[in-house]
DNA sequence: GTAGTCTGTCATTAT
DNA sequence: AAATAATGACAGACT
């Protein structure tokens, strides 16, 4: 606290931010302390005062001991941990003994402390960028150059990172000392020269083994001096401070392969002149001049956390403590060295002394921390997204008894599961993924001020599957792994976008939503839907014809012609529309034709049945008539014989019916005539018969 | 595998 | 003459 008081008295400020992150249903509260440096306090002065810089030394030692890293493990950058580092418990005690105002409990905290307290902003950015580029299997996004590449206006990100220090570091062989001498405020003094010489002598790879023990002893001595008398810190060999820089590098490179999440935060909070904090108006809060220089160039700056971190990151509390200074933008005096925020990330517990349950005697290394180290040993965690989410969730869940990191990892491994980041992670999740730092960059360069909305729209456009060009989103160097970062960005962005803002056409076209269904099932459904579409419908969809097939086929010819003339349609579209209309009408006509044909057939069949029935009826009637006729004939025959048998000829004999027949005349008289006479004698016999009758 | 049915489409003719 | 309807013929999918 002594350092903090000095810091405070020097005009520094303390920015306390409490972040609430909702990740896959898991809530993570982060208390973030940003120690804002006083305007006149330069980095080297801080180093000499034994402030955060000296504490960073211990932190470096701690990291080198494998406290939060993996002892002996080669960082992607190829650097090895210091094998001579003291035990982690001892190192932690040293850290605490140094009076570090904020006790790191996680690797992320350690990274913040080391990177911010001991180095300038440029250095920190460079280190961050280098580590980011090398970490996560190339998934990192170089945060460094946030004030350089970004200011370049978003050209080639690789070209924009020319000013970054990580590029230089990458060119150096593993183990080669990074002779980064503070260059701000005329600090390149003779002492620095001596320091550099000592540093090179100590840190050079060829001599490193020989000097290792001596360096370690000197470190211990310096540490003891710090503990004994803080005023003697200034007498501490300068090369140790420089060594701190180197160790800081190693800390970052070796111990924190998942520190990317805070890199963006760091950049966001410390280096972006145009940044804005959503919900935190720095312009409304008095800040030291240096802070205003470091963070903002105008009186009103809003760090847009929604862009930088996540939509789910609710900045529900932001308290800026500052003694007397007011925020004044001064772009001219803004230097990278004026940006030395001191950050601490705690897992919801604001009390640094309050340790996690189950912590050991040091109060730092809990089983959860050990488990975290085990997790970081997995290659899987080199992935940025998984890394940061795991990191945060593990930190947050470390206090819970039923905490199961594997389950947490599975949450993010599950492709269909929502990581909890809202879609607006488009403006967000910078703290989570490096790719999102693009927004920070935009905000830093001032693009975000006026184009924030447009950028927002671009991101929203990605909701529909059209991802904006990476160059539009990120004007920042993504280092060698920029492509991977883009992919990561798209992945996350897509997921969240999809979850939060389903595209309207899809939502309206689909009969139901897909809240719990997987993308695979959904895509299968869409494929089936497309498969169910007719050929013309698919063609119309392919040519983006703004009419439905039903409309094209069903509308009257006048409306159809007016439609073709009213809309600007290509020849191909017009041809397809006409073909669709022709085929559609022909299809209907064919259907009607077949239906009509079928109806005709059915009617003919009915007619056949009816005619057959009528035929049968007529047959029956005919039979009945014939039968009646026969009956009448029989009766007539009987009557004839009866009449003839009663007739007598002239001699009085019975008339033979076979030889005579009866004939009726016109006047109604009946004649008996012989049959042989036939018709010739018909009249004569009739008259004779009359006479006879 | 085959036959029958359904459907869409094309070509042609009729309206 | 153009648009449409009607219809025979054909082919593919399906039963």
């Amino acid at each position: 606290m002594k350092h903090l008081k000095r810091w405070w008295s020097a005009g520094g400020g303390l920015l306390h931010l409490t972040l609430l992150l909702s990740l896959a249903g898991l809530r993570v509260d982060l208390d973030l302390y940003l120690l804002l440096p006083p305007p006149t306090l330069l980095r080297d002065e801080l180093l000499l005062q034994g402030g955060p810089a000296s504490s960073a030394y211990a932190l470096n030692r701690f990291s080198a001991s494998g406290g939060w890293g993996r002892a002996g493990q080669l960082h992607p950058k190829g650097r090895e941990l210091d094998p001579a580092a003291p035990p982690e418990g001892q190192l932690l005690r040293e850290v605490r003994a140094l009076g570090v105002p904020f006790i790191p409990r996680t690797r992320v905290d350690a990274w913040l402390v080391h990177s911010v307290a001991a180095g300038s902003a440029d250095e920190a950015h460079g280190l961050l960028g280098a580590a980011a580029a090398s970490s996560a299997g190339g998934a990192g996004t170089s945060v460094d150059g946030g004030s350089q590449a970004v200011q370049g206006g978003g050209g080639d990100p690789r070209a924009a990172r020319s000013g970054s220090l990580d590029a230089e570091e990458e060119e150096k062989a593993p183990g080669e000392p990074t002779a980064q001498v503070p260059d701000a405020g005329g600090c390149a003094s003779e002492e620095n020269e001596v320091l550099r010489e000592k540093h090179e002598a100590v840190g050079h790879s060829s001599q490193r083994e020989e000097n290792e023990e001596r360096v370690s002893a000197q470190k211990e001595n310096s540490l003891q001096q710090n503990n004994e008398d803080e005023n003697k810190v200034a007498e501490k060999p300068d090369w140790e401070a420089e060594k701190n820089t180197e160790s800081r590098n190693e800390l970052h490179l070796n111990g924190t392969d998942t520190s990317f999440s805070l890199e963006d935060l760091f950049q966001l909070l410390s280096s972006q002149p145009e940044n804005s904090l959503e919900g935190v108006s720095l312009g409304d809060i008095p800040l030291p001049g240096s802070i205003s220089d470091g963070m903002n160039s105008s009186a009103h700056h809003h760090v847009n956390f929604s862009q930088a971190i996540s939509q789910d990151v609710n900045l529900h509390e932001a308290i800026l403590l500052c003694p007397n200074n007011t925020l004044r933008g001064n772009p001219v005096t803004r230097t990278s060295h004026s940006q030395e925020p001191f950050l601490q990330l705690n897992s919801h517990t604001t009390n640094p002394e309050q340790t996690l349950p189950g912590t050991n005697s040091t109060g730092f290394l809990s089983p959860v921390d050990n488990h975290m180290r085990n997790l970081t040993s997995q290659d899987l965690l080199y992935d940025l997204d998984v890394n940061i989410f795991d990191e945060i969730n593990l930190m947050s869940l470390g206090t819970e008894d039923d905490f199961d990191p594997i389950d947490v990892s599975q949450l993010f491994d599950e492709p269909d599961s929502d990581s909890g980041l809202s879609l607006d992670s488009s403006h967000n999740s910078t703290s989570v993924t490096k790719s999102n730092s693009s927004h920070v960059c935009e905000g830093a360069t001032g693009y975000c001020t006026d184009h924030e909305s447009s950028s927002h729209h671009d991101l929203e456009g990605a909701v529909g599957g059209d991802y904006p060009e990476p160059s539009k989103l990120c004007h920042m160097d993504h280092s060698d792994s920029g492509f991977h970062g883009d992919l990561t960005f798209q992945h996350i962005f897509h997921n969240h976008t999809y979850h939060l803002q389903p595209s309207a056409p899809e939502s309206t076209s689909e009969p139901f939503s897909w809240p719990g269904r997987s993308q695979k099932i959904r895509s299968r459904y869409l494929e089936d839907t497309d498969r169910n579409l007719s050929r013309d419908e698919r063609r119309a969809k392919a040519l983006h014809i703004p009419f439905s097939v039903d409309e094209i086929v069903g509308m009257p010819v006048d409306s159809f012609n007016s439609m073709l003339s009213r809309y600007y349609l290509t020849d191909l579209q017009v041809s397809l529309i006409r073909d669709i209309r022709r085929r559609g009408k022909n299809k209907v006509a064919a259907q009607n034709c077949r239906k009509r044909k079928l109806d005709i057939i059915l009617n003919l069949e009915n007619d056949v049945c009816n005619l057959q029935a009528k035929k049968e009826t007529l047959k029956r009637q005919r039979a009945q008539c014939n039968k009646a006729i026969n009956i009448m004939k029989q009766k007539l025959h009987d009557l004839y014989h009866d009449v003839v048998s009663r007739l007598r000829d002239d001699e009085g004999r019975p008339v033979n019916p076979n030889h005579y027949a009866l004939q009726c005349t016109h006047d109604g008289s009946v004649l008996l005539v012989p049959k042989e006479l036939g018709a010739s004698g018909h009249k004569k016999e009739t008259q004779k018969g009359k006479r006879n009758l």
Side-chain angles (χ1 to χ4, degrees):
Chain A
M1 294 304 295
K2 191 178 297 181
H3 297 296
L4 182 60
K5 290 178 181 178
R6 182 182 305 173
W7 191 281
W8 195 269
S9 61
L14 177 63
L15 178 62
H16 176 202
L17 303 175
T18 300
L19 306 179
L20 173 62
L21 286 77
S22 298
L23 302 174
L26 303 176
R27 174 174 163 173
V28 178
D29 289 343
L30 297 177
D31 287 328
L32 187 147
Y33 291 93
L34 173 61
L35 192 58
L36 305 173
T40 59
L41 195 58
L42 298 177
R43 189 189 73 100
D44 289 347
E45 295 175 355
L46 298 175
L47 292 174
L48 295 176
Q49 292 172 2
S54 60
S55 63
Y57 158 74
L59 288 173
N60 295 336
R61 297 290 305 277
F62 169 71
S63 174
S65 67
W68 290 303
R70 287 168 292 173
Q73 182 210 357
L74 278 175
H75 188 271
K77 209 165 174 56
R79 297 173 182 269
E80 292 185 356
L81 296 174
D82 186 1
E88 56 188 20
Q90 176 184 350
L91 189 53
L92 286 172
R93 285 192 294 272
E94 294 175 0
V95 171
R96 301 179 67 177
L98 284 174
V100 177
F102 308 107
I103 304 301
R105 286 200 302 271
T106 65
R107 292 173 297 156
V108 180
D109 295 351
W111 167 81
L112 277 173
V113 173
H114 101 78
S115 61
V116 175
S120 63
D122 283 343
E123 282 188 10
H125 287 176
L127 296 174
L128 295 176
S134 59
S135 65
T141 299
S142 177
V143 185
D144 82 287
S147 60
Q148 300 168 348
V150 174
Q151 289 176 355
D156 185 3
R158 296 181 181 278
R161 65 188 294 263
S162 59
S164 63
L165 297 175
D166 63 327
E168 299 177 1
E169 290 199 4
E170 290 181 356
E171 295 176 355
K172 296 179 179 178
E176 184 176 355
T178 58
Q180 298 176 1
V181 179
D183 54 352
C187 294
S189 60
E190 295 180 359
E191 295 179 355
N192 288 332
E193 293 296 330
V194 176
L195 169 69
R196 185 180 298 113
E197 293 177 359
K198 291 182 177 180
H199 178 73
E200 291 177 353
V202 173
H204 197 275
S205 59
S206 60
Q207 302 175 357
R208 185 168 186 169
E209 294 180 356
E210 299 176 357
N211 299 328
E212 204 166 10
E213 293 181 356
R214 184 172 60 88
V215 171
S216 176
Q218 290 175 349
K219 288 179 180 178
E220 294 298 333
N221 293 334
S222 176
L223 182 62
Q224 292 177 358
Q225 289 177 356
N226 266 331
N227 294 332
E228 292 175 357
D229 186 0
E230 188 175 354
N231 294 330
K232 296 181 180 178
V233 174
E235 300 177 358
K236 186 173 60 179
D238 293 339
W239 67 268
E240 284 192 5
E242 188 64 21
K243 181 64 179 177
N244 287 338
T245 302
E246 179 184 358
S247 299
R248 181 175 63 250
N249 298 342
E250 292 183 359
L251 164 68
H252 177 68
L253 295 175
N254 295 328
T256 60
D257 49 7
T258 59
S259 60
F260 47 82
S261 63
L262 297 176
E263 296 170 10
D264 295 335
L265 277 176
F266 175 82
Q267 179 190 8
L268 171 71
L269 296 174
S270 63
S271 64
Q272 304 307 330
E274 298 298 334
N275 265 348
S276 62
L277 260 172
E278 190 175 87
V280 178
S281 177
L282 297 180
D284 300 333
I285 308 170
L287 282 174
S290 63
I291 302 306
S292 62
D293 294 343
M295 296 186 63
N296 302 288
S297 58
S298 61
H300 298 282
H301 302 283
H302 302 274
V303 179
N304 193 341
F305 259 50
S306 63
Q307 291 184 351
I309 299 175
S310 169
Q311 188 74 8
D312 290 342
V313 177
N314 299 324
L315 196 63
H316 61 82
E317 182 181 0
I319 303 172
L320 179 64
L321 304 176
C322 186
N324 50 8
N325 293 331
T326 58
L327 178 63
R328 291 193 305 270
N330 190 357
V332 177
T333 60
R334 180 170 60 90
T335 61
S336 60
H337 294 282
S338 64
Q339 306 167 5
E340 296 186 9
F342 197 90
L343 294 173
Q344 181 193 18
L345 265 173
N346 291 333
S347 175
H348 185 66
T349 306
T350 57
N351 185 5
E353 300 297 330
Q354 187 175 355
T355 58
L356 294 174
T359 54
N360 54 16
S361 59
T362 61
F364 290 92
L365 295 177
S366 65
V368 175
D369 295 329
N370 295 329
H371 192 82
M372 289 173 59
R373 289 203 300 272
N374 294 333
L375 288 178
T376 56
S377 65
Q378 302 173 5
D379 295 337
L380 175 63
L381 294 183
Y382 280 104
D383 180 83
L384 274 178
D385 304 336
V386 179
N387 255 343
I388 182 59
F389 289 128
D390 281 346
E391 185 78 18
I392 295 174
N393 282 278
L394 288 172
M395 291 166 56
S396 175
L397 296 176
T399 58
E400 298 181 5
D401 297 334
D402 55 349
F403 164 67
D404 188 358
I406 298 177
D407 293 340
V408 177
S409 300
Q410 289 176 349
L411 287 177
F412 301 107
D413 292 338
E414 174 60 38
D416 299 332
S417 65
D418 192 340
S419 61
L421 290 177
S422 65
L423 206 283
D424 294 333
S425 61
S426 47
H427 328 197
N428 94 30
S429 28
T430 301
S431 65
V432 180
T433 60
K434 298 185 177 306
S435 56
N436 297 341
S437 62
S438 60
H439 277 284
V440 179
C441 298
E442 290 184 351
T445 55
Y447 290 128
C448 205
T449 303
D450 295 335
H451 303 283
E452 185 173 350
S453 59
S454 61
S455 175
H456 180 85
H457 291 316
D458 290 341
L459 293 174
E460 283 183 343
V463 175
D466 294 333
Y467 298 100
E469 296 181 6
S471 60
K472 294 180 180 178
L473 293 176
C474 185
H475 307 286
M476 197 166 192
D477 176 25
H478 286 201
S479 74
D480 297 337
S481 59
F483 179 72
H484 182 92
D486 291 341
L487 293 179
T488 303
F489 174 82
Q490 292 182 1
H491 171 70
I492 294 179
F493 183 78
H494 174 74
N495 288 341
H496 302 315
T497 302
Y498 171 73
H499 176 68
L500 294 182
Q501 294 179 348
S503 61
E506 289 183 357
S507 61
T508 55
S509 61
E510 295 179 9
F512 54 88
S513 60
W514 303 82
R517 290 173 177 266
S518 65
Q519 283 288 337
K520 192 175 295 182
I521 297 176
R522 180 177 179 273
S523 61
R524 194 178 307 160
Y525 166 79
L526 294 177
E527 290 176 359
D528 294 340
T529 302
D530 292 340
R531 200 180 304 156
N532 292 331
L533 293 177
S534 65
R535 186 175 60 181
D536 285 338
E537 287 174 342
R538 288 195 297 268
R539 290 173 177 174
K541 185 178 179 180
L543 289 182
H544 303 287
I545 293 177
F547 315 105
S548 66
V549 173
D550 294 338
E551 290 175 347
I552 294 173
V553 175
M555 66 174 58
V557 60
D558 295 338
S559 300
F560 178 76
N561 292 329
S562 63
M563 176 197 67
L564 293 180
S565 60
R566 189 166 56 251
Y567 289 88
Y568 175 78
L569 299 171
T570 63
D571 295 339
L572 189 61
Q573 287 177 321
V574 172
S575 177
L576 178 60
I577 289 174
R578 291 187 180 280
D579 290 341
I580 289 173
R581 183 177 175 85
R582 177 177 53 79
R583 280 192 291 263
K585 286 188 172 298
N586 185 253
K587 183 175 72 175
V588 175
Q591 292 173 350
N592 294 332
C593 180
R594 286 166 179 146
K595 182 181 179 181
R596 198 160 37 241
K597 185 184 295 183
L598 195 62
D599 292 340
I600 292 172
I601 293 173
L602 292 177
N603 290 334
L604 290 176
E605 290 177 353
N606 291 333
D607 292 343
V608 170
C609 293
N610 293 333
L611 291 175
Q612 288 179 348
K614 192 174 184 177
K615 180 181 177 182
E616 296 297 327
T617 302
L618 292 175
K619 284 183 177 178
R620 286 194 297 269
Q621 291 177 355
R622 179 184 177 183
Q624 292 176 357
C625 291
N626 291 333
K627 186 177 180 178
I629 290 171
N630 292 332
I631 293 173
M632 292 298 292
K633 285 182 177 178
Q634 186 61 38
K635 289 180 178 178
L636 181 60
H637 183 264
D638 295 341
L639 178 61
Y640 180 82
H641 282 273
D642 182 41
V643 171
V644 171
S645 62
R646 293 182 184 182
L647 293 178
R648 297 291 181 269
D649 54 9
D650 298 338
E651 296 173 354
R653 291 179 297 192
V655 177
N656 188 353
N658 295 328
H659 294 168
Y660 293 89
L662 295 173
Q663 291 185 350
C664 296
T665 62
H666 297 285
D667 55 359
S669 61
V670 178
L671 298 177
L672 180 63
V673 297
K675 291 182 178 181
E676 57 269 22
L677 292 179
S680 58
H682 180 264
K683 236 183 213 183
K684 183 178 179 180
E685 291 179 356
T686 302
Q687 292 176 355
K688 184 180 178 181
K690 286 181 179 177
R691 279 187 277 134
N692 295 336
L693 291 174

